[in-house]
Amino acid sequence: MRIAIDAMGGDLAPGPVVEGALAAARQLGVGLVFAGPRDILTREIARHAPVDRVDVVEAPDVVAMHESPVQALRHKPASSIRVAIEQVACGNADAVFTAGHTGAAVVAAHGLLGMMPGYDRPALAALLPTPGGAAVLVDAGATVECRPAHLLQFALMGRAYASAALGVRKPRIGLLSIGEEASKGNELIREAHRLLKADPRLDFIGNVEARDLYAGLADVVVCDGFTGNVALKVSEGLVDALETLVREELTRTFSTRFGLLLQRRAFRRVRRRVDYAEYGAAPLLGVRGLCLVGHGRSSVRAVRSGVELAATCVSTGLLASLAEEAGRVGAAPA
Amino acid sequence: MRIAIDAMGGDLAPGPVVEGALAAARQLGVGLVFAGPRDILTREIARHAPVDRVDVVEAPDVVAMHESPVQALRHKPASSIRVAIEQVACGNADAVFTAGHTGAAVVAAHGLLGMMPGYDRPALAALLPTPGGAAVLVDAGATVECRPAHLLQFALMGRAYASAALGVRKPRIGLLSIGEEASKGNELIREAHRLLKADPRLDFIGNVEARDLYAGLADVVVCDGFTGNVALKVSEGLVDALETLVREELTRTFSTRFGLLLQRRAFRRVRRRVDYAEYGAAPLLGVRGLCLVGHGRSSVRAVRSGVELAATCVSTGLLASLAEEAGRVGAAPA
């Protein structure tokens, strides 16, 4: 197995990206092919203990976070994100991991890999921490303009991901909305509700209210990419804001500071349980190849988890499961 | 000044609703008119120290949280939520507070009060805690299907609310999206961005990313009601989930429990700083009358804050400010 890495993708690249990917490869015994400027990467790789089967493919350009994806990819054909995804397109790698520009990853993967039959639009499947484990949020930001049929396809993709890669036996599917009743939500959601409910092969539990997103009521929560991205990013911002607030209040007096000292390890556990780094990356589902998108601020640990998740997606045959689910799409009442 | 209260609205009604409203009235010297079953309310009111100018208007029916708003209002013309709003419509009260069914409040207020000229759709203006005070999120759930022109109107409503009721001098307006650039977001957001930017009288700072919702970058954050409701409810669910998680981790060992004991007051301050109860209620903007919608789980303190906010909206002339801003709408490039 070989995984391509966009070595220059992410705010902190290439340092933590190279280190995290090498750690995962060492652990799992998989091969790597890093895309990026050869001289920089050779130096970075040499800073760590040697790992078998590590290649570098030259990619001198980088797509910056603020660039327009389409423009950037057109003007920078040798960008690390594009070259990394090409490794999958040409069969040189089984999966690709990038912590770079999400929009550019979606556009490049869509363009270079194409869509799988039965799926019209790509979707990012992010993992949400819940009391019972992780739930899948799909789409977390790949397709911001959706029709109801796309949401049905996202449900099937999410189902394939949850069962193949995460080992959930009979994934319960929910639809993110602003109320439990079928009549709640906007036109898109109401019509998608009808489609999901009409498909007898889906274990559809109905609408999941936004306030229950982290309650673990469903294994797969379906939404359009705009709403999913808002839900995810609001959560991220809120966790950071609360952490600042709690730290501020707990360092005010001697006794609260002393209390904090007693709880250091407990707070570290809290942080770990909510931390995106534990969940590493989101696969871009629906495209003809395995592409995992990590957080732009990915740490060593996050990259490592992301590459491990990529390997899991390969070894559990996620693409075959997605293709199998896609068969259902054709037969679904639309 | 007289404020109408939907005494039966909310999960915990009538107890905390009556108690909170009476506390606010006592504090501010305003009159109250409670809508609900006269016998029940007379008993509830008698349980507290007497307050001047408290009336009850008979309303035997209640709209339950799970009911369809339109159906419920049609079949229960004497519901407490409807009768309370009627008090404003017929000039018997200056504002109304309800912690009942939000959808029913929106439908009833829209139907009984009508829209102000210049505003096509109602919007709920919720308050978000930020490091620098509170920011306004508009729409938080009244209008789930929006056109770009509606978002421009929401910006003007939010601006009027922030300056009149909250005393923000020159409110900075932001548009909730999934990236800072004007090109980010769905069609609705991209077109709304253009409208907001083209209006020279708005202090438009551009898109506010979902992860910065609680950072206080803008005084007013504009979005459609579906997205706003999702953002708000995801936050609420996440705060509850984190509280459970922190409590779980901090009660595991003797030393963490001892630490917690030292921090009891600090944690209470944290909770207060994030708690919706501090922010009491969201005014329904755009309708011809002051209608404040509280959280369904409103406590005594939340109801009290909500009624106090209603009084502030009356005394600061929010309706006149909204009418003045509406003048801008006509002149705005559309």
Side-chain angles (χ1 to χ4, degrees), chain A residues 40-305:
Chain A
I40 294 175
L41 294 186
T42 309
R43 259 201 316 276
E44 274 296 331
I45 293 165
R47 294 178 55 223
H48 304 281
V51 175
D52 287 347
R53 299 195 295 133
V54 171
D55 286 344
V56 171
V57 54
E58 177 69 9
D61 296 332
V62 176
V63 175
M65 288 300 191
H66 65 268
E67 290 188 85
S68 149
V70 177
Q71 294 286 327
L73 289 166
R74 187 169 301 153
H75 295 120
K76 295 174 177 174
S79 62
S80 61
I81 197 164
R82 189 201 165 102
V83 171
I85 293 170
E86 272 172 351
Q87 303 309 303
V88 174
C90 71
N92 195 33
D94 301 291
V96 54
F97 170 85
T98 177
H101 193 306
T102 302
V106 173
V107 172
H110 192 172
L112 294 169
L113 302 170
M115 296 301 295
M116 295 177 77
Y119 298 123
D120 296 320
R121 296 278 186 282
L124 280 165
L127 292 181
L128 305 172
T130 74
V136 178
L137 181 76
V138 59
D139 173 26
T143 301
V144 296
E145 212 80 58
C146 291
R147 281 182 288 119
H150 299 147
L151 297 195
L152 174 59
Q153 294 173 10
F154 294 172
L156 294 160
M157 293 174 185
R159 195 183 128 90
Y161 178 52
S163 54
L166 309 178
V168 179
R169 195 178 299 228
K170 198 166 179 282
R172 296 158 303 163
I173 314 289
L175 181 64
L176 184 62
S177 191
I178 59 176
E180 280 177 24
E181 303 80 19
S183 62
K184 289 289 176 71
N186 52 24
E187 275 174 40
L188 171 67
I189 295 302
R190 286 197 302 269
E191 181 57 19
H193 186 107
R194 208 185 60 73
L195 289 184
L196 290 167
K197 197 173 175 182
D199 192 320
R201 292 152 304 181
L202 280 177
D203 195 4
F204 181 53
I205 63 161
N207 289 352
V208 169
E209 286 200 64
R211 67 159 286 119
D212 291 327
L213 193 59
Y214 295 94
L217 304 181
D219 300 299
V220 176
V221 180
V222 176
C223 59
D224 68 273
F226 185 83
T227 306
N229 198 266
V230 165
L232 214 60
K233 294 298 166 99
V234 163
S235 303
E236 208 180 296
L238 186 57
V239 168
D240 288 352
L242 285 173
E243 198 184 17
T244 305
L245 184 62
V246 168
R247 189 179 297 142
E248 200 180 299
E249 290 292 351
L250 294 190
T251 51
R252 272 201 186 189
T253 69
F254 174 76
S255 72
T256 57
R257 278 199 300 273
F258 182 63
L260 203 55
L261 207 66
L262 297 171
Q263 298 161 339
R264 237 179 343 186
R265 286 176 56 199
F267 269 110
R268 221 172 289 149
R269 276 199 304 271
V270 169
R271 186 74 230 194
R272 187 168 306 162
R273 283 173 69 178
V274 296
D275 208 349
Y276 68 90
E278 284 295 319
Y279 295 100
L284 184 68
L285 304 177
V287 294
R288 244 195 278 240
L290 286 172
C291 177
L292 284 103
V293 180
H295 195 287
R297 292 183 300 166
S298 284
S299 62
V300 172
R301 192 156 59 101
V303 173
R304 186 184 165 151
S305 309

